[in-house]
Amino acid sequence: MLVRLYTLLGYIIQPLLLLVMWYRGRTLPEYRQRLSERYGFYSKITQPKANGIVIHAASVGEVIAATPLIKAIQAQYPELALTVTTVTPTGSERVRSAFGNSVSHVYLPYDLPDAINRFLKFVQPRLFIVIETELWPNLIHQIHQRKIPFVIANARLSPRSAKRYGWIKNHLKGMLNQIDLVLAQDEVSANRYIQLGFDSQRLVNTGNLKFDLNVTTKQYQAIAEARVHLNLNLRRPVWIAGSTHEGEESLILEAHRKLLIIHPSLVLILVPRHPERFASVEELLRKMQMPYIKRSDQRSILPNTQVLLGDTMGEMMLLYGLAQVAFVGGSLVKHGGHNPLEPIAFGLPVISGLHTFNFPEIFSKLRCVDGVVEIESNVEALAGAVNYFLENPELGKEISQAGYDVLKENQGALKRHLALLSPYLESKGNKDE
């Protein structure tokens, strides 16, 4: 009954969703250009080879987490067709930059029965893997009806999601029984799934794929080329504020203004999390009269440039590689923070606000070894932390090394995922075969 009501509401709100997509398309045309994919129509896209697998990674963070897994599957099962689905243009761009034409890519449609049916007929997978948390009742039901295994990899349940699902716990049993395997990223998430009623016999705590992050030689080469192109010589110190949200940029720019008094040649790389906010952040830079260039303009940094606005997609790791100090956004406001392991992979000392509830396990491990600096949400605290690292590079190296050790010590989730997924990956058919 609840699923029927959910589906009915899904159809009722479609006019509103169309308006939202049309509005977002003003700043990001891809929202409009690929709207048909949201309803399972793929007339302009080459159909993937049947009997492959789908890996769904909703947006950028999930794509980054899934990247080692996807590349490992490609290496071990080169004959297996892979389709990677996302729901955001930023996630789509990340898939393209990471995998090019080696995988098929489409948007996962809205969770409407007819759209899901068209999608599954188009892709014809033998295995469906979701990264982290995407529990869509109609999708799971139709996959189960087709006897296609459904696996949640690197599974997590945030406190907010666990609370919301808890309200309808008694109605989730049917859907949860249609999930074949949950590979939890930590004990907290594993326990939350069990508390919702998921069968513990089909759940394994594998650890977090986000720890299996390595910077490749190719990435370092791209960073070196970008440094030359930007005319960003090593005499100019650089700090980066990555994946920032509304309410953070003004505070960050005020902190940068204070830092420029002490370090006149300092450059800030400012990277808003969502591309639809690029224009508003640029307007803020104009109002604050801070000389800036945009990454999308492909121009060199001038002697008077104070800020490089990261307004491109798929370059977060490259931009982290250009800096000496990193602040990870979404943490000065109550968004819950973003992945600190990305700058840590480059050996950067990391600064974060106190709102890190999206990554409880990672931040807990970092705190235990003083591998991150957490600050209050004010200008003085942020400017003070950045200045501390700029003036004490050796102490910064101690903190960054502690964080890097945490990254390396907790790797291994990829190997465990592959071992548990191998029966599904090697199977030539569905559950009945």
Side-chain angles (χ1 to χ4, degrees):
M1 183 65 179
L2 190 64
V3 174
R4 289 180 182 176
L5 178 60
Y6 160 84
T7 301
L8 177 61
L9 289 173
Y11 282 110
I12 290 172
I13 66 170
Q14 288 310 302
L16 177 60
L17 287 177
L18 286 169
L19 284 173
V20 169
M21 289 297 173
W22 191 256
Y23 179 79
R24 287 181 172 178
R26 296 186 313 160
T27 53
L28 209 58
E30 197 173 43
Y31 275 114
R32 295 178 182 176
Q33 294 166 356
R34 300 176 62 186
L35 194 57
S36 62
E37 292 180 42
R38 309 281 182 179
Y39 296 93
F41 295 106
Y42 306 106
S43 58
K44 297 180 181 179
I45 298 172
T46 302
Q47 187 171 13
K49 183 180 174 183
N51 209 35
I53 69 169
V54 173
I55 297 180
H56 176 61
S59 193
V60 175
E62 291 84 358
V63 175
I64 291 171
T67 295
L69 178 63
I70 295 169
K71 290 189 173 180
I73 291 172
Q74 286 179 315
Q76 292 189 28
Y77 306 92
E79 77 291 345
L80 194 58
L82 291 178
T83 298
V84 181
T85 60
T86 66
V87 296
T88 67
T90 51
S92 175
E93 184 62 32
R94 183 75 189 190
V95 170
R96 288 180 179 134
S97 64
F99 305 107
N101 295 323
S102 68
V103 303
S104 299
H105 167 65
V106 295
Y107 284 137
L108 186 72
Y110 294 129
D111 196 36
L112 305 171
D114 56 329
I116 295 297
N117 182 51
R118 285 190 290 270
F119 165 73
L120 291 174
K121 282 185 175 180
F122 179 73
V123 180
Q124 299 179 53
R126 74 166 189 242
L127 171 65
F128 199 101
I129 301 173
V130 164
I131 303 297
E132 296 199 356
T133 309
E134 289 282 304
L135 300 179
W136 300 112
N138 288 315
L139 174 68
I140 293 171
H141 177 65
Q142 290 206 30
I143 286 173
H144 180 71
Q145 281 189 319
R146 288 169 167 80
K147 297 182 171 58
I148 299 168
F150 186 94
V151 177
I152 306 178
N154 211 46
R156 67 180 290 264
L157 271 180
S158 67
R160 182 182 300 175
S161 295
K163 183 178 180 180
R164 288 175 178 173
Y165 287 131
W167 293 338
I168 54 172
K169 177 180 175 179
N170 293 335
H171 300 278
L172 292 177
K173 189 173 181 179
M175 182 182 73
L176 293 177
N177 285 340
Q178 295 173 344
I179 298 171
D180 292 78
L181 182 64
V182 170
L183 305 176
Q185 65 176 242
D186 54 46
E187 189 175 353
V188 173
S189 289
N191 289 335
R192 286 173 181 159
Y193 270 98
I194 291 170
Q195 288 165 8
L196 286 179
F198 189 77
D199 182 2
S200 61
Q201 298 299 310
R202 292 182 284 123
L203 185 148
V204 181
N205 181 4
T206 53
N208 197 332
L209 281 173
K210 288 183 176 175
F211 283 108
D212 286 270
L213 177 66
N214 294 292
V215 184
T216 65
T217 302
K218 185 178 179 181
Q219 284 175 306
Y220 277 119
Q221 183 179 348
I223 290 163
E225 291 171 357
R227 190 180 296 280
V228 171
H229 179 73
L230 287 165
N231 193 30
L232 197 57
N233 61 66
L234 296 176
R235 292 188 297 273
R236 294 199 70 174
V238 179
W239 73 290
I240 183 169
S243 297
T244 60
H245 287 254
E246 187 174 1
E248 292 186 310
E249 287 92 4
S250 58
L251 190 153
I252 290 163
L253 291 172
E254 287 293 351
H256 186 53
R257 192 170 260 164
K258 284 181 175 291
L259 288 163
L260 286 166
I261 298 171
I262 310 168
H263 308 279
S265 62
L266 182 64
V267 175
L268 164 65
I269 302 176
L270 179 59
V271 191
R273 178 69 174 184
H274 298 116
E276 54 265 33
R277 297 192 59 250
F278 291 160
S280 63
V281 175
E282 183 179 6
E283 181 60 27
L284 179 62
L285 283 162
R286 288 198 196 100
K287 285 182 179 178
M288 296 184 69
Q289 298 183 332
M290 301 189 79
Y292 71 95
I293 65 166
K294 296 191 293 183
R295 172 66 176 154
S296 61
D297 287 340
Q298 296 294 311
R299 289 165 45 207
S300 296
I301 287 175
L302 301 173
N304 72 326
T305 301
Q306 295 176 349
V307 179
L308 169 61
L309 177 59
D311 64 339
T312 53
M313 294 189 289
E315 287 197 315
M316 192 70 254
M317 290 291 282
L318 181 145
L319 296 175
Y320 273 133
L322 295 171
Q324 287 89 56
V325 178
F327 164 76
V328 179
S331 58
L332 295 176
V333 292
K334 292 181 181 180
H335 179 81
H338 289 288
N339 186 5
L341 298 176
E342 294 169 21
I344 283 172
F346 287 103
L348 300 185
V350 170
I351 301 164
S352 170
L354 300 177
H355 303 290
T356 58
F357 51 81
N358 285 338
F359 297 88
E361 182 204 24
I362 292 175
F363 275 92
S364 177
K365 291 178 184 295
L366 291 173
R367 287 187 203 105
C368 286
V369 296
D370 294 325
V372 65
V373 169
E374 294 176 284
I375 61 168
E376 298 284 345
S377 301
N378 61 67
V379 172
E380 291 73 20
L382 179 57
V386 175
N387 185 56
Y388 176 83
F389 287 130
L390 292 175
E391 295 194 343
N392 301 279
E394 292 305 314
L395 293 174
K397 285 180 182 177
E398 289 181 15
I399 289 175
S400 64
Q401 185 61 52
Y404 190 77
D405 289 344
V406 167
L407 173 69
K408 290 300 178 183
E409 288 166 5
N410 287 276
Q411 292 184 339
L414 175 60
K415 185 177 180 180
R416 291 187 284 274
H417 271 73
L418 286 171
L420 291 161
L421 289 170
S422 61
Y424 301 101
L425 296 168
E426 292 166 4
S427 171
K428 296 300 180 184
N430 63 30
K431 296 178 188 176
D432 285 348
E433 297 178 339

